[in-house]
Amino acid sequence: MADTQNGAGAAGREAGATAGRAARRQAPPPRKGRRAPRATTGAGRMAALLVSPTLLVLTIVVLYPTLMALDESLYGPQGLDPETGFISDTAPFVGLRNYTDIFTQAGDRFWNAFGNTTFFTVVTVTLETVLGVAMALIMHKAFRGRGLVRASILVPWAIPTAISGLLWRWVFNANGIANVLVGEQVLWTADGIQAKSAVIIAEVWKTAPFIGLLVLAGLQVISKEVYEAARLDGASAPRQFWHITLPLVKPALLVAVLFRCLDALRMFDLPYILIGTQKRSVETLSMLAQNEASNVRFGPAAAYAVLLFVYVFLIALAFVRLLGADLIGDGGTERRRANGRARRSRKGATA
């Protein structure tokens, strides 16, 4: 009799425990109105605290000057005060007239500078990408004297742009090295296609190592086992580069191209020092804004700067929108396919 009661009590306790576990599993999810756990709140506060210095610097360096330029672009140039005969202390408010004058009175000069800016960006970034990838592949190889080769490749990028412009101005002089190599007397610093060529050569020489440095960082994280497996499968060197190296280094390469595009769109100092001012063939939007400011036309200069800012912003936004996943390397098509194959293989092994 006692055994029967003990068995019934044990069965009851087991049934109660099973019901309790089922009730806990079927418990309704927490309501959205509940406050977040303290750990999550503390992590959010810590993240905001760590990010706040960066946001403060960006506000001071980027946001405030942009708003000031936008405000300045709504005012015209300071004219002469009829009472004193000196330049007036206040600038007249003209609204959007500076912008309309850019596309009407100064339309030809603006579109020429816009075309030069776009042309320099497309040509230089394309050449720098090709040369930068080649430099990265050379620096990544293991050979004697690799450190010296890496240092010599990175030297042009370390030279300040002003110094680089002066050096190339000496190279493209009438009696310089460029004319000795060409065998003709070419006026490289005069207005014309030769001036464009001089700027492109100097810009590519200086900034191609930057792309090579970022691509080299991407190459160094690729496992050697991948190439060994490809060689065992009979893949040639070009196929390895096209199907292994290029896809795996793509995020770093896209980041480098984005940075170079944004930098080339703001090109100013190299053509300014190498060729000079008011040269139609090499005048960019930044040079146009500087020319207006040097003539004490701060309103039109600010308008040019605002238009350049909008142009750079749109290019960056389009770049990130179209290639955002590849820029951060967080879920491209190849990675999703690889994860899917891994899950299927695990399921097959379990079965």
Side-chain angles (χ1 to χ4, degrees), residues 73-258:
S73 66
L74 302 178
Y75 292 87
Q78 298 174 345
L80 295 177
D81 191 344
E83 297 181 358
T84 61
F86 295 100
I87 297 177
S88 177
D89 295 333
T90 59
F93 180 80
V94 296
L96 299 178
R97 194 178 72 185
N98 289 327
Y99 296 96
T100 58
D101 290 344
I102 288 175
F103 294 101
T104 54
Q105 297 180 8
D108 184 47
R109 190 179 181 187
F110 168 76
W111 289 115
N112 174 70
F114 181 84
N116 290 337
T117 302
T118 306
F119 174 78
F120 284 139
T121 300
V122 173
V123 174
T124 57
V125 173
T126 301
L127 295 176
E128 290 163 9
T129 301
V130 176
L131 294 177
V133 172
M135 291 177 180
L137 293 176
I138 293 173
M139 291 186 291
H140 186 61
K141 294 293 184 180
F143 57 90
R144 181 177 298 178
R146 183 175 63 174
L148 181 62
V149 172
R150 287 184 176 183
S152 61
I153 288 177
L154 296 178
V155 163
W157 180 57
I159 297 177
T161 306
I163 304 301
S164 177
L166 292 175
L167 291 175
W168 280 101
R169 189 177 180 89
W170 175 73
V171 171
F172 289 118
N173 193 13
N175 298 320
I177 301 175
N179 285 339
V180 173
L181 296 177
V182 173
E184 297 180 2
Q185 286 285 52
V186 180
L187 300 179
W188 295 96
T189 57
D191 202 3
I193 187 64
Q194 68 274 11
K196 274 188 171 68
S197 302
V199 172
I200 291 173
I201 292 172
E203 181 72 9
V204 171
W205 174 83
K206 174 174 173 50
T207 53
F210 171 75
I211 294 182
L213 183 63
L214 293 186
V215 175
L216 176 63
L219 288 174
Q220 290 180 340
V221 299
I222 301 177
S223 175
K224 295 181 180 179
E225 298 176 355
V226 180
Y227 293 102
E228 294 176 359
R231 282 193 295 269
L232 292 177
D233 291 339
S236 60
R239 290 181 64 86
Q240 292 180 29
F241 172 77
W242 188 258
H243 295 286
I244 297 177
T245 303
L246 199 58
L248 294 179
V249 84
K250 187 178 179 181
L253 179 60
L254 290 177
V255 170
V257 171
L258 174 60

